[in-house]
Coordinates of all heavy atoms in Angstrom, one line a residue:
M1 N 17.4 -1.4 8.2 CA 16.9 -2.3 9.2 C 17.1 -3.8 8.7 O 17.3 -4.0 7.5 CB 15.4 -2.0 9.4 CG 14.5 -2.1 8.2 SD 12.8 -1.5 8.5 CE 13.0 0.3 8.6
I2 N 16.9 -4.7 9.6 CA 17.1 -6.1 9.3 C 16.0 -6.7 8.5 O 14.8 -6.5 8.8 CB 17.3 -6.9 10.6 CG1 18.4 -6.4 11.5 CG2 17.6 -8.4 10.2 CD1 19.8 -6.6 10.9
C3 N 16.3 -7.4 7.4 CA 15.3 -8.0 6.6 C 14.8 -9.3 7.3 O 15.7 -10.2 7.6 CB 15.8 -8.3 5.2 SG 14.7 -9.3 4.2
D4 N 13.5 -9.5 7.5 CA 13.0 -10.7 8.1 C 13.3 -12.0 7.2 O 13.4 -13.1 7.7 CB 11.5 -10.6 8.3 CG 11.2 -9.7 9.5 OD1 12.2 -9.5 10.3 OD2 10.1 -9.3 9.7
N5 N 13.4 -11.7 5.9 CA 13.5 -12.8 5.0 C 14.9 -13.4 4.9 O 15.1 -14.6 5.0 CB 12.9 -12.4 3.6 CG 12.7 -13.6 2.7 OD1 12.1 -14.6 3.1 ND2 13.2 -13.5 1.5
C6 N 15.9 -12.5 4.7 CA 17.2 -13.0 4.5 C 18.2 -12.6 5.6 O 19.3 -13.0 5.6 CB 17.8 -12.4 3.1 SG 18.0 -10.6 3.1
G7 N 17.8 -11.7 6.5 CA 18.6 -11.4 7.7 C 19.6 -10.3 7.4 O 20.4 -10.0 8.3
K8 N 19.8 -9.8 6.2 CA 20.7 -8.8 5.9 C 20.2 -7.4 6.4 O 19.0 -7.2 6.5 CB 21.1 -8.8 4.5 CG 21.9 -10.0 4.0 CD 22.3 -9.9 2.6 CE 23.0 -11.2 2.2 NZ 23.1 -11.4 0.7
N9 N 21.2 -6.5 6.6 CA 20.8 -5.3 7.2 C 20.7 -4.2 6.2 O 21.2 -3.1 6.3 CB 21.8 -4.9 8.3 CG 21.4 -3.7 9.1 OD1 20.2 -3.4 9.2 ND2 22.3 -3.0 9.8
R10 N 20.1 -4.5 5.1 CA 20.0 -3.5 4.0 C 18.5 -3.1 3.7 O 18.3 -2.3 2.8 CB 20.6 -4.0 2.7 CG 22.2 -4.1 2.9 CD 22.8 -4.6 1.6 NE 22.5 -3.6 0.5 CZ 22.7 -3.9 -0.8 NH1 23.1 -5.1 -1.2 NH2 22.4 -3.0 -1.7
A11 N 17.6 -3.7 4.4 CA 16.2 -3.3 4.2 C 15.9 -1.9 4.6 O 16.5 -1.4 5.6 CB 15.3 -4.3 4.9
F12 N 15.0 -1.3 3.9 CA 14.6 0.1 4.3 C 13.1 0.3 4.0 O 12.5 -0.4 3.2 CB 15.4 1.1 3.5 CG 15.3 1.0 2.0 CD1 14.4 1.7 1.3 CD2 16.1 0.0 1.3 CE1 14.2 1.6 -0.1 CE2 15.9 -0.1 -0.1 CZ 15.0 0.7 -0.8
E13 N 12.6 1.3 4.7 CA 11.2 1.6 4.5 C 11.0 2.5 3.3 O 11.7 3.5 3.2 CB 10.6 2.1 5.8 CG 9.1 2.3 5.7 CD 8.5 2.9 6.9 OE1 8.5 2.2 8.0 OE2 8.0 4.1 6.8
R14 N 10.0 2.2 2.5 CA 9.7 3.2 1.5 C 8.2 3.3 1.3 O 7.5 2.4 1.8 CB 10.4 2.9 0.2 CG 9.9 1.6 -0.5 CD 10.8 1.3 -1.7 NE 10.2 0.2 -2.5 CZ 9.5 0.3 -3.5 NH1 9.1 1.4 -4.0 NH2 9.0 -0.8 -4.1
K15 N 7.7 4.3 0.6 CA 6.3 4.5 0.4 C 6.0 4.0 -1.0 O 6.7 4.3 -1.9 CB 5.9 5.9 0.6 CG 6.3 6.5 2.0 CD 5.3 5.9 3.0 CE 5.3 6.8 4.3 NZ 6.6 6.7 5.0
M16 N 4.9 3.3 -1.1 CA 4.5 2.9 -2.4 C 3.0 3.1 -2.6 O 2.2 3.3 -1.7 CB 4.8 1.4 -2.7 CG 4.2 0.4 -1.7 SD 4.6 -1.3 -2.2 CE 3.3 -1.5 -3.5
T17 N 2.6 3.1 -3.9 CA 1.2 3.2 -4.2 C 0.7 1.9 -4.7 O 1.4 1.2 -5.5 CB 1.0 4.3 -5.3 OG1 1.5 5.5 -4.8 CG2 -0.4 4.4 -5.7
H18 N -0.5 1.5 -4.2 CA -1.0 0.2 -4.6 C -2.5 0.2 -4.8 O -3.2 1.0 -4.1 CB -0.6 -0.9 -3.6 CG -0.7 -2.3 -4.1 ND1 0.2 -2.9 -4.8 CD2 -1.7 -3.2 -3.9 CE1 -0.1 -4.1 -5.1 NE2 -1.3 -4.3 -4.6
T19 N -3.0 -0.5 -5.8 CA -4.4 -0.6 -6.0 C -4.9 -1.9 -5.5 O -4.3 -3.0 -5.5 CB -4.8 -0.5 -7.5 OG1 -4.0 -1.5 -8.2 CG2 -4.5 0.9 -8.0
Y20 N -6.1 -1.9 -4.9 CA -6.8 -3.1 -4.4 C -8.2 -3.2 -5.0 O -8.8 -2.2 -5.3 CB -6.9 -3.0 -2.8 CG -5.6 -3.0 -2.1 CD1 -4.9 -1.8 -1.9 CD2 -5.0 -4.2 -1.8 CE1 -3.7 -1.8 -1.2 CE2 -3.8 -4.2 -1.1 CZ -3.1 -3.0 -0.9 OH -1.9 -3.0 -0.2
G21 N -8.6 -4.4 -5.1 CA -9.9 -4.7 -5.7 C -9.9 -4.4 -7.2 O -8.9 -4.2 -7.8
K22 N -11.2 -4.5 -7.7 CA -11.3 -4.2 -9.1 C -12.7 -3.7 -9.4 O -13.6 -3.8 -8.6 CB -11.0 -5.4 -10.0 CG -11.7 -6.7 -9.6 CD -11.2 -7.9 -10.4 CE -11.6 -9.2 -9.8 NZ -11.1 -10.3 -10.5
G23 N -12.9 -3.2 -10.6 CA -14.2 -2.7 -11.0 C -14.7 -1.5 -10.1 O -13.9 -0.7 -9.7
K24 N -15.9 -1.6 -9.6 CA -16.4 -0.6 -8.7 C -15.8 -0.6 -7.4 O -15.8 0.4 -6.6 CB -17.9 -0.7 -8.6 CG -18.7 -0.3 -9.8 CD -20.2 -0.6 -9.7 CE -20.9 0.5 -8.8 NZ -22.3 0.3 -8.7
G25 N -15.2 -1.7 -7.0 CA -14.5 -1.8 -5.7 C -13.1 -1.4 -5.7 O -12.4 -1.5 -4.7
L26 N -12.6 -0.9 -6.9 CA -11.2 -0.6 -7.0 C -10.9 0.6 -6.1 O -11.6 1.6 -6.0 CB -10.9 -0.2 -8.5 CG -9.4 0.1 -8.8 CD1 -8.6 -1.1 -8.7 CD2 -9.3 0.7 -10.1
I27 N -9.8 0.5 -5.4 CA -9.3 1.7 -4.6 C -7.8 1.8 -4.8 O -7.1 0.8 -4.9 CB -9.7 1.5 -3.1 CG1 -9.2 2.7 -2.4 CG2 -9.1 0.2 -2.5 CD1 -9.8 2.8 -1.0
L28 N -7.3 3.0 -4.9 CA -5.9 3.3 -5.0 C -5.4 3.9 -3.7 O -6.0 4.9 -3.3 CB -5.6 4.2 -6.2 CG -4.2 4.5 -6.5 CD1 -4.0 4.7 -8.0 CD2 -3.7 5.8 -5.8
I29 N -4.5 3.3 -3.1 CA -3.9 3.8 -1.8 C -2.5 4.3 -2.0 O -1.7 3.5 -2.5 CB -4.0 2.8 -0.7 CG1 -5.5 2.3 -0.6 CG2 -3.5 3.4 0.6 CD1 -5.6 1.2 0.5
E30 N -2.3 5.5 -1.7 CA -0.9 6.1 -1.9 C -0.2 6.1 -0.6 O -0.7 6.1 0.5 CB -1.0 7.5 -2.4 CG -1.6 7.7 -3.8 CD -1.7 9.1 -4.2 OE1 -2.0 10.0 -3.4 OE2 -1.4 9.4 -5.4
K31 N 1.1 6.1 -0.7 CA 2.0 6.2 0.5 C 1.9 5.1 1.5 O 1.9 5.3 2.7 CB 1.8 7.6 1.2 CG 2.2 8.8 0.2 CD 1.9 10.1 0.9 CE 2.1 11.2 -0.1 NZ 1.7 12.5 0.5
I32 N 1.7 3.9 1.0 CA 1.7 2.7 1.9 C 3.2 2.4 2.3 O 4.0 2.2 1.5 CB 1.1 1.5 1.2 CG1 -0.3 1.8 0.7 CG2 1.1 0.3 2.2 CD1 -0.8 0.7 -0.2
P33 N 3.5 2.4 3.6 CA 4.8 2.1 4.0 C 5.1 0.6 3.9 O 4.4 -0.3 4.4 CB 4.9 2.5 5.5 CG 3.5 2.4 6.0 CD 2.6 2.7 4.8
V34 N 6.2 0.2 3.1 CA 6.6 -1.1 3.0 C 8.1 -1.2 3.3 O 8.8 -0.3 3.1 CB 6.4 -1.7 1.6 CG1 4.9 -1.8 1.2 CG2 7.1 -0.9 0.5
I35 N 8.4 -2.4 3.9 CA 9.9 -2.7 4.1 C 10.4 -3.4 2.9 O 9.9 -4.4 2.5 CB 10.1 -3.5 5.4 CG1 9.3 -3.0 6.6 CG2 11.5 -3.7 5.7 CD1 9.6 -1.6 7.0
D36 N 11.4 -2.7 2.2 CA 11.9 -3.2 1.0 C 13.3 -3.7 1.1 O 14.1 -2.9 1.6 CB 11.8 -2.0 0.0 CG 11.9 -2.5 -1.5 OD1 12.4 -3.6 -1.7 OD2 11.5 -1.7 -2.4
C37 N 13.6 -4.9 0.7 CA 14.9 -5.4 0.8 C 15.6 -5.6 -0.6 O 15.1 -6.3 -1.4 CB 14.9 -6.8 1.5 SG 16.6 -7.5 1.6
P38 N 16.6 -4.8 -0.9 CA 17.3 -4.9 -2.2 C 18.0 -6.2 -2.4 O 18.3 -6.6 -3.5 CB 18.2 -3.7 -2.2 CG 18.5 -3.4 -0.8 CD 17.3 -3.8 0.0
D39 N 18.3 -6.9 -1.3 CA 19.1 -8.2 -1.5 C 18.2 -9.3 -2.0 O 18.6 -10.1 -2.9 CB 19.8 -8.5 -0.1 CG 21.1 -7.8 0.0 OD1 21.9 -7.9 -0.9 OD2 21.3 -7.2 1.0
C40 N 17.1 -9.5 -1.4 CA 16.2 -10.7 -1.7 C 15.0 -10.2 -2.4 O 14.2 -11.1 -2.9 CB 15.9 -11.5 -0.5 SG 14.9 -10.7 0.7
G41 N 14.7 -8.9 -2.5 CA 13.6 -8.4 -3.2 C 12.3 -8.5 -2.4 O 11.2 -8.3 -2.9
E42 N 12.4 -8.9 -1.1 CA 11.2 -9.0 -0.3 C 10.6 -7.7 0.0 O 11.3 -6.7 0.3 CB 11.6 -9.7 1.0 CG 10.5 -10.1 1.9 CD 9.8 -11.3 1.5 OE1 10.1 -11.9 0.4 OE2 8.9 -11.8 2.3
Q43 N 9.3 -7.6 -0.1 CA 8.6 -6.4 0.3 C 7.6 -6.8 1.4 O 6.7 -7.7 1.2 CB 7.8 -5.8 -0.8 CG 8.7 -5.2 -1.9 CD 8.0 -4.5 -3.0 OE1 6.8 -4.7 -3.2 NE2 8.6 -3.5 -3.6
V44 N 7.7 -6.2 2.6 CA 6.9 -6.7 3.7 C 6.1 -5.5 4.2 O 6.6 -4.4 4.4 CB 7.9 -7.1 4.9 CG1 7.0 -7.6 6.1 CG2 8.7 -8.3 4.4
L45 N 4.8 -5.8 4.4 CA 3.9 -4.9 5.1 C 3.8 -5.3 6.5 O 3.6 -6.5 6.8 CB 2.5 -4.8 4.4 CG 2.4 -4.0 3.2 CD1 3.1 -4.6 2.0 CD2 0.9 -3.9 2.8
T46 N 3.9 -4.4 7.5 CA 3.7 -4.7 8.9 C 2.3 -5.0 9.1 O 1.4 -4.6 8.4 CB 4.2 -3.6 9.8 OG1 3.3 -2.4 9.6 CG2 5.6 -3.2 9.5
A47 N 2.0 -5.7 10.2 CA 0.7 -6.1 10.6 C -0.2 -4.8 10.8 O -1.3 -4.8 10.4 CB 0.7 -6.9 11.9
K48 N 0.4 -3.8 11.3 CA -0.3 -2.5 11.5 C -0.7 -1.9 10.2 O -1.8 -1.4 10.1 CB 0.7 -1.6 12.3 CG 0.1 -0.3 12.7 CD 1.0 0.4 13.7 CE 0.5 1.8 14.0 NZ 1.0 2.8 13.0
T49 N 0.2 -2.0 9.2 CA -0.1 -1.4 7.9 C -1.2 -2.2 7.3 O -2.1 -1.6 6.7 CB 1.2 -1.5 7.0 OG1 2.2 -0.7 7.7 CG2 0.9 -0.9 5.6
I50 N -1.2 -3.5 7.3 CA -2.2 -4.4 6.7 C -3.6 -4.1 7.4 O -4.6 -3.9 6.7 CB -1.8 -5.9 6.9 CG1 -0.6 -6.2 6.0 CG2 -3.0 -6.8 6.5 CD1 0.0 -7.5 6.4
K51 N -3.6 -3.9 8.7 CA -4.8 -3.6 9.4 C -5.4 -2.2 8.9 O -6.6 -2.1 8.7 CB -4.5 -3.6 10.9 CG -5.8 -3.7 11.7 CD -5.4 -4.2 13.1 CE -6.7 -4.5 14.0 NZ -7.2 -3.3 14.6
E52 N -4.5 -1.3 8.8 CA -4.9 0.0 8.3 C -5.5 0.0 6.9 O -6.5 0.7 6.7 CB -3.6 1.0 8.4 CG -4.0 2.4 8.2 CD -4.9 3.0 9.3 OE1 -4.9 2.5 10.5 OE2 -5.8 3.8 9.0
I53 N -4.9 -0.8 6.1 CA -5.4 -0.9 4.7 C -6.8 -1.5 4.7 O -7.7 -1.1 4.0 CB -4.4 -1.8 3.8 CG1 -3.1 -1.0 3.6 CG2 -5.1 -2.2 2.5 CD1 -2.0 -1.8 2.9
E54 N -7.0 -2.5 5.6 CA -8.3 -3.1 5.7 C -9.3 -2.1 6.2 O -10.4 -2.0 5.7 CB -8.3 -4.3 6.8 CG -7.6 -5.5 6.2 CD -8.2 -6.1 5.0 OE1 -9.5 -6.2 5.0 OE2 -7.5 -6.4 4.0
N55 N -8.9 -1.2 7.1 CA -9.8 -0.2 7.6 C -10.1 0.8 6.5 O -11.3 1.2 6.4 CB -9.1 0.6 8.8 CG -9.1 -0.2 10.1 OD1 -9.9 -1.1 10.2 ND2 -8.2 0.1 11.0
I56 N -9.1 1.1 5.7 CA -9.4 2.1 4.6 C -10.4 1.5 3.6 O -11.3 2.1 3.2 CB -8.0 2.4 3.9 CG1 -7.2 3.3 4.9 CG2 -8.3 3.2 2.6 CD1 -5.8 3.5 4.4
R57 N -10.2 0.2 3.3 CA -11.0 -0.5 2.3 C -12.5 -0.6 2.9 O -13.4 -0.4 2.1 CB -10.5 -1.8 2.0 CG -9.2 -1.8 1.2 CD -8.7 -3.1 0.8 NE -9.6 -3.7 -0.2 CZ -9.5 -4.9 -0.7 NH1 -8.5 -5.7 -0.4 NH2 -10.3 -5.3 -1.6
R58 N -12.6 -0.9 4.2 CA -13.9 -1.0 4.8 C -14.6 0.3 4.8 O -15.8 0.4 4.6 CB -13.8 -1.6 6.2 CG -14.3 -3.0 6.3 CD -14.6 -3.3 7.8 NE -13.5 -3.1 8.6 CZ -12.6 -4.1 8.8 NH1 -12.7 -5.3 8.2 NH2 -11.5 -3.9 9.6
G59 N -13.9 1.4 5.1 CA -14.5 2.7 5.2 C -14.6 3.4 3.9 O -15.0 4.6 3.8
R60 N -14.1 2.8 2.8 CA -14.0 3.4 1.5 C -15.3 4.1 1.1 O -15.3 5.3 0.7 CB -13.6 2.4 0.5 CG -13.7 2.9 -1.0 CD -13.1 1.8 -1.9 NE -13.8 0.5 -1.6 CZ -14.9 0.2 -2.2 NH1 -15.5 1.0 -3.1 NH2 -15.5 -1.0 -2.0
D61 N -16.4 3.4 1.2 CA -17.7 4.0 0.7 C -18.1 5.2 1.4 O -18.6 6.2 0.8 CB -18.8 2.9 0.8 CG -18.6 1.8 -0.2 OD1 -17.9 2.0 -1.2 OD2 -19.1 0.7 0.0
K62 N -17.9 5.2 2.7 CA -18.2 6.4 3.5 C -17.3 7.5 3.3 O -17.7 8.7 3.1 CB -18.3 6.0 5.0 CG -19.6 5.3 5.4 CD -19.6 5.0 6.9 CE -18.5 4.0 7.2 NZ -18.6 3.5 8.6
Q63 N -16.0 7.2 3.5 CA -15.0 8.3 3.6 C -14.5 8.8 2.3 O -14.1 10.0 2.1 CB -13.8 7.8 4.4 CG -14.2 7.5 5.9 CD -13.1 6.8 6.6 OE1 -12.0 6.8 6.1 NE2 -13.4 6.2 7.7
L64 N -14.3 7.9 1.3 CA -13.6 8.3 0.1 C -14.4 8.4 -1.1 O -13.8 8.7 -2.2 CB -12.5 7.2 -0.1 CG -11.5 7.0 1.0 CD1 -10.5 5.9 0.6 CD2 -10.7 8.3 1.3
K65 N -15.7 8.3 -1.0 CA -16.5 8.3 -2.2 C -16.3 9.6 -3.0 O -16.2 9.6 -4.2 CB -18.0 8.2 -1.8 CG -18.8 7.6 -2.9 CD -20.2 7.2 -2.4 CE -20.9 6.2 -3.3 NZ -22.1 5.6 -2.6
Q66 N -16.2 10.7 -2.3 CA -16.1 12.0 -2.9 C -14.7 12.2 -3.5 O -14.6 12.9 -4.5 CB -16.4 13.1 -1.9 CG -17.6 13.0 -1.1 CD -18.9 13.0 -2.0 OE1 -18.9 13.8 -2.9 NE2 -19.9 12.2 -1.6
R67 N -13.8 11.5 -2.9 CA -12.4 11.8 -3.3 C -11.9 10.9 -4.4 O -10.9 11.2 -5.1 CB -11.4 11.7 -2.1 CG -11.7 12.8 -1.1 CD -10.6 12.8 0.0 NE -9.3 12.7 -0.6 CZ -8.2 12.3 0.0 NH1 -8.3 11.9 1.3 NH2 -7.0 12.3 -0.5
F68 N -12.5 9.7 -4.5 CA -11.9 8.7 -5.4 C -12.2 9.0 -6.8 O -13.3 9.1 -7.2 CB -12.4 7.3 -5.0 CG -11.8 6.3 -5.9 CD1 -10.5 5.9 -5.9 CD2 -12.6 5.6 -6.9 CE1 -10.0 5.0 -6.7 CE2 -12.1 4.7 -7.7 CZ -10.8 4.4 -7.6
V69 N -11.1 9.1 -7.6 CA -11.3 9.3 -9.1 C -10.4 8.3 -9.7 O -9.3 8.0 -9.2 CB -11.0 10.7 -9.5 CG1 -12.0 11.7 -9.1 CG2 -9.6 11.1 -9.1
P70 N -10.8 7.8 -10.9 CA -9.8 6.9 -11.6 C -8.5 7.6 -11.9 O -8.6 8.8 -12.3 CB -10.6 6.5 -12.8 CG -12.0 6.8 -12.5 CD -12.0 7.9 -11.6
V71 N -7.4 6.9 -11.8 CA -6.1 7.5 -12.0 C -5.6 6.9 -13.3 O -5.6 5.7 -13.5 CB -5.2 7.2 -10.9 CG1 -3.8 7.7 -11.3 CG2 -5.7 7.8 -9.6
T72 N -5.2 7.8 -14.2 CA -4.6 7.3 -15.5 C -3.4 8.3 -15.8 O -3.2 9.2 -15.1 CB -5.6 7.2 -16.6 OG1 -5.0 6.6 -17.7 CG2 -6.1 8.6 -16.9
Q73 N -2.8 8.0 -16.9 CA -1.7 8.9 -17.3 C -2.0 9.4 -18.7 O -2.5 8.7 -19.6 CB -0.4 8.1 -17.3 CG 0.2 7.8 -15.9 CD 1.6 7.3 -16.0 OE1 2.0 6.7 -17.0 NE2 2.3 7.4 -14.9
F74 N -1.6 10.6 -18.9 CA -1.7 11.3 -20.2 C -0.5 10.9 -21.0 O 0.6 11.4 -20.7 CB -1.9 12.8 -20.0 CG -2.2 13.5 -21.3 CD1 -3.5 13.6 -21.8 CD2 -1.2 14.0 -22.1 CE1 -3.8 14.2 -22.9 CE2 -1.5 14.7 -23.3 CZ -2.8 14.8 -23.7
A75 N -0.7 10.0 -21.9 CA 0.5 9.5 -22.6 C 0.9 10.4 -23.8 O 0.1 10.8 -24.6 CB 0.3 8.1 -23.2
Ligands
ZN1 ZN1 16.1 -9.6 2.4

């Protein structure tokens, strides 16, 4: 798809994992769709995606309390 930033047609959608907030408010969201452009390095979240993230963060205490566990790696 076309990159909004540089106009080249090499951007593609991929899923990424991102953490928001910190301390007790920390939340890890997996499979966030981002538009990734290899030419200019731009990563764009659509307005719909941003809104959905806001909804997830707002509803975190109700919906995700049971599921949320700190994520780390066994080195
Ligand atoms: Zn670009």
Side-chain angles (χ1 to χ4, degrees):
M1 59 186 77
I2 305 288
C3 172
D4 283 344
N5 194 49
C6 68
K8 291 181 182 168
N9 191 19
R10 290 184 60 196
F12 59 95
E13 187 182 292
R14 68 185 184 97
K15 300 289 198 291
M16 60 175 280
T17 299
H18 197 80
T19 53
Y20 293 91
K22 50 187 169 182
K24 285 176 77 175
L26 182 71
I27 184 169
L28 184 148
I29 305 176
E30 294 180 319
K31 297 177 184 171
I32 301 169
V34 295
I35 310 302
D36 196 342
C37 177
D39 275 310
C40 65
E42 187 81 350
Q43 291 186 336
V44 179
L45 279 70
T46 64
K48 185 167 173 275
T49 300
I50 291 167
K51 198 156 185 278
E52 191 61 33
I53 290 170
E54 287 301 313
N55 285 338
I56 291 169
R57 293 185 67 183
R58 248 198 304 274
R60 170 176 53 86
D61 289 339
K62 278 182 291 187
Q63 294 169 16
L64 299 180
K65 208 168 200 171
Q66 308 297 323
R67 291 186 52 199
F68 179 69
V69 291
V71 175
T72 186
Q73 287 187 339
F74 188 85

